[in-house]
Amino acid sequence: MFVSDCLSVNEKGHLAIGGVDTVDLAKEYGTPCYVMDEDRIRKNCRAYVKSIEDNYGGNGLAIYASKAFNCKYMCKLINEEGMGLDVVSGGELYTAIQAGFPTEKVYFHGNNKTLDELKFAVENGVGRIVVDNIYELENLSRIAGECGKTASVLLRIKPGIDAHTHSFIMTGQIDSKFGFALETGEAMDGIKRAIAAENIDFRGVHCHIGSQIFEVTPFEKAAEVMIGFMAQIKAETGVECAELDLGGGFGIKYSFEDNPLEYSAYMAKVATVIKAECEKQGIKLPFIVIEPGRSIAGSAGITLYTVGAVKTIPDIRTYVSIDGGMGDNPRYILYQSTYELVCANKADKPRDFTITLAGRCCESGDLIQEDAPVQRVEPGDIMAVLSTGAYNYSMSSNYNRIPKPPVVMVSGGETKVVVKRETYDDVIRNDM
Ligand code: LLP
């Protein structure tokens, strides 16, 4: 039902998540409020872990791209599920450390990690630093030396794949700020320098071709290109890459039309390509890393709002205003992302009304969806926006000094707050 199997309509005709009535949730925790189904998140984690076991003899690690949704509770959950963690900033790393996440299973990404962040990562024994450029490699080599440590690294390569996704989130192609380009020889030069660098343990290569991708072909193509490159590295340097990190980007269901593949189907196909290409190229099978973010958290989450003013402009549109907006979900204003809307207290009624869902910020573009179907809503109704578990809380802001909503987890019919609602005092806490 809906866009995720954790959603249903209960006997009262209300939307439920993980079997819990969302109208009750809105009453108990207030709105706006992010709600996530913990059991769904865990099932998603297990599907990835199992897919590596089933298709690749367990010779790999699924790491959660925590930029999708990060908090201490989520880090603990990911650790319990036996996954690693992808972090892209000192803040994400700090959260993981505070949650007791084993740092040897943390992969540190980013195209411009600061010197302080590199030092923080080295001091805390982060498992892999995914080096983006030569400047970073040189700094890391020096910092690791100063700390008396060796940094284990992967190099981020642009495999030149166009993954047919929104251009803002297309990163594998040559014109990208991320990583070393293959075509220009920059990548091979970087590898040679990494192999030669002091205090650096070169482990292998990484690529990430984009996000919200539905086809498997670009991933297969990326694996093929990367293994070809690994063979070239062996031929030119004699060094075999022990690890291949293929990034994340697996698509999820936002709209009823979206049709993502089972996660196991992705690994099954890519593992076949990896095995065939390694054999063809005469290189050892690498340890494989994958980095799902959105597909772990996205469809496990919804956002609940209270409907305020309903403004019908005859022959033009009906604006339905809610008590949240771009502050808690900037994805429509940034990417015109599609979302399905459900009036939580009328979920059993037909969605025969067309509305534009407007946020409360002083900004005309602060919309969550335009001309979208929903039940006939009126002030006081509870509006649910579906599939908001990824890149919503993590991209939220305090624009207009609006406090951020809480995150509530639902599991086995029980609920708990894992991130508190911000207060006005939180909003001014750094003001002098
Ligand atoms: N690995 C790397 C190196 C990445 O850059 C990303 C996402 C991932 C893994 C996880 O990708 P996922 O499985 O979540 O697609 N804010 C945008 C998405 C940006 C994705 C950035 N990188 C959005 O809201 O759609």
Side-chain angles (χ1 to χ4, degrees):
M1 169 103 211
F2 298 119
V3 286
S4 171
D5 62 5
C6 62
L7 302 173
S8 56
V9 177
N10 66 16
E11 62 297 340
K12 290 185 184 158
H14 294 174
L15 177 71
I17 177 165
V20 177
D21 190 314
T22 57
V23 179
D24 292 344
L25 284 168
K27 257 190 219 125
E28 184 170 354
Y29 298 105
T31 59
C33 179
Y34 302 105
V35 186
M36 301 184 79
D37 182 349
E38 177 171 338
D39 301 332
R40 182 69 256 169
I41 296 175
R42 289 187 187 272
K43 279 186 207 153
N44 293 340
C45 294
R46 285 171 202 169
Y48 279 115
V49 172
K50 187 168 182 301
S51 77
I52 296 180
E53 274 160 20
D54 291 350
N55 300 293
Y56 204 68
N59 185 27
L61 184 66
I63 68 173
Y64 168 61
S66 70
K67 67 195 75 129
F69 168 66
N70 193 349
C71 66
K72 289 197 314 189
Y73 190 83
M74 188 66 178
C75 291
K76 286 184 192 147
L77 186 161
I78 292 296
N79 187 30
E80 281 166 16
E81 293 303 329
M83 290 178 72
L85 199 73
D86 152 356
V87 301
V88 288
S89 70
E92 287 184 355
L93 175 56
Y94 184 75
T95 308
I97 292 170
Q98 290 300 312
F101 199 92
T103 52
E104 66 277 10
K105 284 170 81 179
V106 173
Y107 286 59
F108 193 9
H109 283 284
N111 66 305
N112 195 22
K113 305 169 192 79
T114 67
L115 299 182
D116 285 346
E117 285 176 326
L118 289 174
K119 185 159 179 254
F120 184 42
V122 170
E123 281 174 347
N124 283 284
V126 160
R128 297 286 178 272
I129 296 182
V130 183
V131 173
D132 180 272
N133 55 71
I134 290 296
Y135 172 70
E136 181 181 317
L137 182 70
E138 287 168 354
N139 284 324
L140 182 60
S141 168
R142 191 190 65 252
I143 288 167
E146 285 162 7
C147 297
K149 300 212 179 186
T150 298
S152 295
V153 307
L154 304 179
L155 260 61
R156 179 164 182 164
I157 310 297
K158 294 185 247 201
I161 307 293
D162 173 350
H164 306 293
T165 180
H166 193 293
S167 61
F168 290 8
I169 47 182
M170 214 165 65
T171 50
Q173 78 283 18
I174 186 165
D175 183 8
S176 161
K177 69 173 182 172
F178 296 104
F180 294 84
L182 269 186
E183 295 92 327
T184 59
E186 184 193 19
M188 186 58 82
D189 176 54
I191 301 283
K192 288 178 182 164
R193 294 214 215 177
I195 292 169
E198 282 179 36
N199 318 310
I200 296 287
D201 176 21
F202 170 71
R203 304 291 307 164
V205 283
H206 165 275
C207 70
H208 171 76
I209 58 172
S211 196
Q212 187 60 1
I213 301 167
F214 288 123
E215 313 93 276
V216 181
T217 323
F219 291 108
E220 292 177 301
K221 190 79 198 133
E224 195 186 315
V225 170
M226 293 298 280
I227 290 166
F229 182 53
M230 285 159 59
Q232 208 187 326
I233 294 171
K234 185 182 172 190
E236 289 195 26
T237 68
V239 173
E240 286 220 43
C241 295
E243 297 168 25
L244 170 60
D245 183 339
L246 290 167
F250 323 114
I252 67 159
K253 202 170 173 73
Y254 282 105
S255 81
F256 293 117
E257 285 82 54
D258 290 338
N259 216 351
L261 282 177
E262 292 285 323
Y263 307 146
S264 51
Y266 157 79
M267 202 54 207
K269 291 202 169 187
V270 173
T272 307
V273 171
I274 294 169
K275 289 174 199 162
E277 289 300 310
C278 284
E279 196 178 332
K280 190 169 116 196
Q281 303 278 4
I283 58 172
K284 279 193 272 198
L285 280 180
F287 182 85
I288 293 291
V289 179
I290 53 170
E291 306 177 329
R294 190 193 312 270
S295 53
I296 296 285
S299 53
I302 60 172
T303 312
L304 299 175
Y305 303 97
T306 300
V307 171
V310 176
K311 199 175 284 180
T312 299
I313 307 175
D315 302 325
I316 300 185
R317 64 176 78 232
T318 297
Y319 284 102
V320 171
S321 291
I322 47 172
D323 53 357
M326 63 182 281
D328 60 78
N329 183 357
R331 294 192 71 258
Y332 188 75
I333 200 168
L334 277 173
Y335 321 116
Q336 297 74 54
S337 313
T338 302
Y339 286 104
E340 296 289 350
L341 314 179
V342 174
C343 179
N345 50 307
K346 297 174 180 165
D348 58 343
K349 304 279 183 304
R351 297 196 311 162
D352 56 2
F353 200 32
T354 300
I355 65 155
T356 287
L357 193 64
R360 52 169 302 193
C361 286
C362 284
E363 181 115 0
S364 301
D366 175 20
L367 304 173
I368 297 292
Q369 208 59 203
E370 287 174 278
D371 304 321
V374 74
Q375 291 82 1
R376 231 147 247 280
V377 286
E378 53 202 336
D381 281 343
I382 302 300
M383 179 68 74
V385 179
L386 311 186
S387 293
T388 58
Y391 302 112
N392 273 234
Y393 173 71
S394 65
M395 292 174 75
S396 63
S397 77
N398 287 122
Y399 184 43
N400 289 178
R401 295 233 138 181
I402 296 170
K404 292 184 187 179
V407 183
V408 174
M409 284 275 177
V410 175
S411 175
E414 304 288 315
T415 62
K416 59 176 163 280
V417 175
V418 300
V419 181
K420 286 193 295 187
R421 182 183 298 285
E422 283 186 349
T423 62
Y424 289 138
D425 279 329
D426 290 326
V427 172
I428 62 161
R429 72 183 176 275
N430 294 323
D431 293 4
M432 304 300 281

